[in-house]
């Protein structure tokens, strides 16, 4: 067996979250802790980030575990739900879901009474991972507004080039056209945009609160690596 060990610095996680929040222009700051907090361990990471405004994860079981552990902050499923049977679980545990397909909207429209879920409607502005195309965005939004199973609605996108020279202006232009006239809350900024583009902060930002924040911007004041190897 190779003599390799990893040291997790929980203080660095706390520090990096506090740094992101201090740069977020007063926006609610969700700690993105998907993939078991990027390998740091969801339990220990959540303890280090217990003062966070909320958490964003991918796995439903992780979101439920956070609730059952006692975390009362908002929790967002970044990829949303995939089966109608998940909707009562989301409603019971007050877990919000990203909406990126008409199939998800159909599930909401046919959900049993009482399964009411907060949602984040995702627009694909160029990341090409998940989200509605601009031409479908307004139709999706109108259907969500008309669904009895939908609670609060937030508008969302994800930046593809926030940490390189291309920047975010091209994606912001697409988003602003698609969302023109809407006054709903917005969640736009990832880690790099939090640090580099204050015009994207809006109401909710989504920084990764682990070691990746350390490489994002030379203007950030002393971010720290959360994982060391030996």
């Amino acid at each position: 067996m190779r003599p390799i060990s990893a040291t997790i610095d929980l203080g660095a996680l706390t520090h990096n979250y506090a740094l992101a929040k201090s740069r977020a222009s007063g926006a609610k700051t969700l700690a993105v802790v998907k993939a078991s907090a990027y390998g740091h361990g969801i339990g220990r990471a959540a303890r280090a980030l217990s003062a966070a405004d909320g958490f964003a994860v991918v796995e439903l079981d992780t979101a439920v575990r956070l609730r059952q552990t006692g975390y009362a902050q908002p929790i967002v499923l970044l990829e949303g739900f995939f089966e109608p049977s998940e909707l009562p679980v989301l409603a019971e545990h007050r877990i919000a879901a990203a909406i990126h397909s008409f199939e998800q909207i159909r599930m909401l429209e046919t959900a049993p009474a009482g399964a009411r879920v907060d949602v984040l409607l995702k627009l694909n502005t160029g990341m090409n991972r998940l989200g509605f195309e601009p031409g479908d965005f307004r139709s999706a939004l109108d259907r969500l507004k008309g669904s009895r199973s939908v609670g609060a609605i937030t508008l969302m996108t994800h930046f593809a080039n926030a940490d390189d020279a291309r920047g975010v202006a091209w994606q912001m232009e697409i988003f602003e056209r698609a969302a023109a006239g809407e006054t709903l809350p917005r969640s736009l900024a990832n880690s790099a945009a939090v640090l580099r583009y204050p015009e994207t902060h809006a109401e909710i930002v989504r920084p990764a609160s682990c070691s990746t924040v350390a490489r994002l911007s030379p203007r950030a004041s002393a971010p720290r690596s959360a994982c060391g190897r030996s």
Side-chain angles (χ1 to χ4, degrees):
M1 182 179 296
R2 296 175 65 189
I4 298 174
S5 64
T7 301
I8 307 298
D9 184 348
L10 299 182
L13 299 185
T14 306
H15 170 87
N16 289 349
Y17 175 83
L19 172 62
K21 185 170 177 62
S22 73
R23 300 287 290 272
S25 310
K28 294 291 185 183
T29 304
L30 301 183
V32 179
V33 287
K34 61 184 180 180
S36 192
Y38 299 90
H40 294 74
I42 186 62
R44 66 171 65 95
R47 289 193 296 273
L49 299 167
S50 61
D53 295 329
F55 297 100
V57 299
V58 169
E59 309 86 355
L60 177 57
D61 59 344
T62 299
V64 171
R65 177 182 169 189
L66 288 170
R67 273 286 177 261
Q68 292 176 337
T69 304
Y71 295 99
Q73 300 100 313
I75 299 175
V76 173
L77 275 184
L78 291 171
E79 294 183 2
F81 53 88
F82 298 94
E83 300 290 340
S85 60
E86 295 174 337
L87 288 172
V89 179
L90 296 175
E92 177 185 357
H93 295 283
R94 297 177 294 107
I95 298 166
I99 302 297
H100 50 79
S101 73
F102 282 112
E103 178 61 17
Q104 289 175 308
I105 295 178
R106 186 195 65 77
M107 285 187 256
L108 284 166
E109 291 171 336
T110 58
R116 191 171 173 85
V117 178
D118 292 343
V119 300
L120 294 86
L121 177 61
K122 188 166 189 178
L123 175 67
N124 177 23
T125 56
M127 186 73 178
N128 298 324
R129 182 184 294 166
L130 293 171
F132 289 92
E133 294 303 311
D136 294 326
F137 189 69
R138 185 68 58 172
S139 172
L141 179 56
D142 288 344
R143 287 176 63 177
L144 289 175
K145 287 180 176 180
S147 173
R148 68 180 182 181
S149 296
V150 173
I153 301 173
T154 298
L155 306 182
M156 175 186 184
T157 195
H158 191 80
F159 294 127
N161 302 102
D163 56 353
D164 65 28
R166 190 178 185 189
V168 301
W170 64 282
Q171 287 185 268
M172 284 297 294
E173 182 178 348
I174 295 169
F175 184 91
E176 294 294 351
R177 283 201 305 267
E182 290 294 336
T183 59
L184 292 167
R186 301 178 176 195
S187 178
L188 310 175
N190 56 6
S191 299
V194 170
L195 297 174
R196 300 181 67 193
Y197 299 104
E199 66 273 20
T200 69
H201 291 171
E203 287 79 23
I204 303 168
V205 300
R206 310 185 309 273
S209 298
C210 298
S211 57
T212 50
V213 93
R215 66 176 176 83
L216 293 175
S217 173
R219 293 185 291 170
S221 56
R224 293 158 52 185
S225 175
C227 183
R229 292 175 295 174
S230 61

